[in-house]
Amino acid sequence: MATNAIKNDRKYTYADYLIWPENERWEVIGGTAYAMAPPSADHQRIVRNTTVAFALYLQGKPCEVFMAPFGVIFDRQLETDEITTVVEPDVTVICDRSKITSKGCHGCPDLIVEVLSRSTASHDVIRKRRLYEQQGVLEYWIADPSNQIITRYSFDQELEKYKEAEYFAREDIIIPDIFPDLAINLAEIFPDTEEE
């Protein structure tokens, strides 16, 4: 994400997010609005393939998977003009259906996947990783289309922070900590060629 693609002239809230034009995609973190870059075809293929892998597994189970655009608001108690953080992860898995509303997720999801783009890499790797760790997202995966790897962060409940990162290549199988009977072949997630 380009550093000039932010609105930091004032503090923005979820109320602002709700009225921005549909053709503009923004996330708000700590009151600062960050523009979301248009995704590439390979970015969308990875999002689609990941969503399908979870959707097939979750059929008949209480958890649900959503793909962007799908808003996540971590604080369930505040009014819309008090909420200063709303994000749109590429893939979101939620196991507590009471958090799902017509507008998105109100509360902490169980698993989030972000797919890197050149212009948003630092946003996903630094700013959003910090946010997801602070909020207690149980698993955060960062998919890197250029190198065809997934970096996984798993939340340590006792330490209240993420454990050391784990790395998975295209030829690996990844098993979500929260779904130990689901094995995802990453060759089926990453496209054969990367065009970004």
Side-chain angles (χ1 to χ4, degrees):
M1 176 163 303
T3 55
N4 62 351
I6 63 173
K7 294 182 183 188
N8 61 1
D9 55 321
R10 68 175 181 84
K11 193 171 191 176
Y12 290 91
T13 68
Y14 181 48
D16 296 309
Y17 166 89
L18 290 173
I19 61 170
W20 282 328
E22 286 187 24
N23 63 338
E24 294 181 23
R25 292 190 55 215
W26 294 85
E27 294 181 308
V28 182
I29 299 178
T32 300
Y34 298 89
M36 299 177 70
S40 71
D42 275 348
H43 178 285
Q44 292 301 85
R45 288 182 185 110
I46 294 167
V47 170
R48 178 199 62 212
N49 295 344
T50 305
T51 302
V52 167
F54 280 112
L56 291 172
Y57 170 77
L58 293 174
Q59 285 182 345
K61 296 180 173 67
C63 303
E64 275 193 84
V65 61
F66 297 89
M67 58 193 282
F70 182 79
V72 173
I73 301 135
F74 290 99
D75 198 319
R76 300 174 78 174
Q77 311 303 320
L78 297 178
E79 298 299 321
T80 58
D81 61 349
E82 298 173 326
I83 295 168
T84 59
T85 298
V86 55
V87 293
E88 291 186 7
D90 289 315
V91 180
T92 307
V93 177
I94 304 159
C95 293
D96 180 351
R97 290 191 180 217
S98 73
K99 296 177 181 177
I100 301 168
T101 73
S102 63
K103 300 278 188 194
C105 175
H106 284 250
C108 187
D110 297 271
L111 187 148
I112 287 175
V113 181
E114 297 283 9
V115 180
L116 297 182
S117 298
R118 283 191 182 98
S119 60
T120 63
S122 64
H123 182 66
D124 292 333
V125 172
I126 299 170
R127 192 174 292 113
K128 290 177 96 172
R129 180 203 170 279
R130 187 181 307 129
L131 171 68
Y132 299 155
E133 181 178 50
Q134 288 170 347
Q135 296 297 328
V137 175
L138 296 178
E139 285 189 59
Y140 177 37
W141 297 6
I142 302 172
D144 179 348
S146 297
N147 297 300
Q148 297 204 326
I149 61 169
I150 286 182
T151 304
R152 175 172 67 188
Y153 295 96
S154 299
F155 195 76
D156 185 316
Q157 301 280 5
E158 285 185 25
L159 298 176
E160 296 185 350
K161 67 177 188 176
Y162 284 134
K163 302 173 191 173
E164 190 171 325
E166 300 171 90
Y167 302 93
F168 300 85
R170 188 177 196 276
E171 60 272 12
D172 291 335
I173 303 290
I174 188 169
I175 298 172
D177 288 343
I178 64 171
F179 304 127
D181 57 341
L182 170 61
I184 299 174
N185 182 347
L186 293 186
E188 296 174 2
I189 298 299
F190 289 107
D192 288 334
T193 57
E194 190 278 320
E195 64 182 35
E196 204 170 8

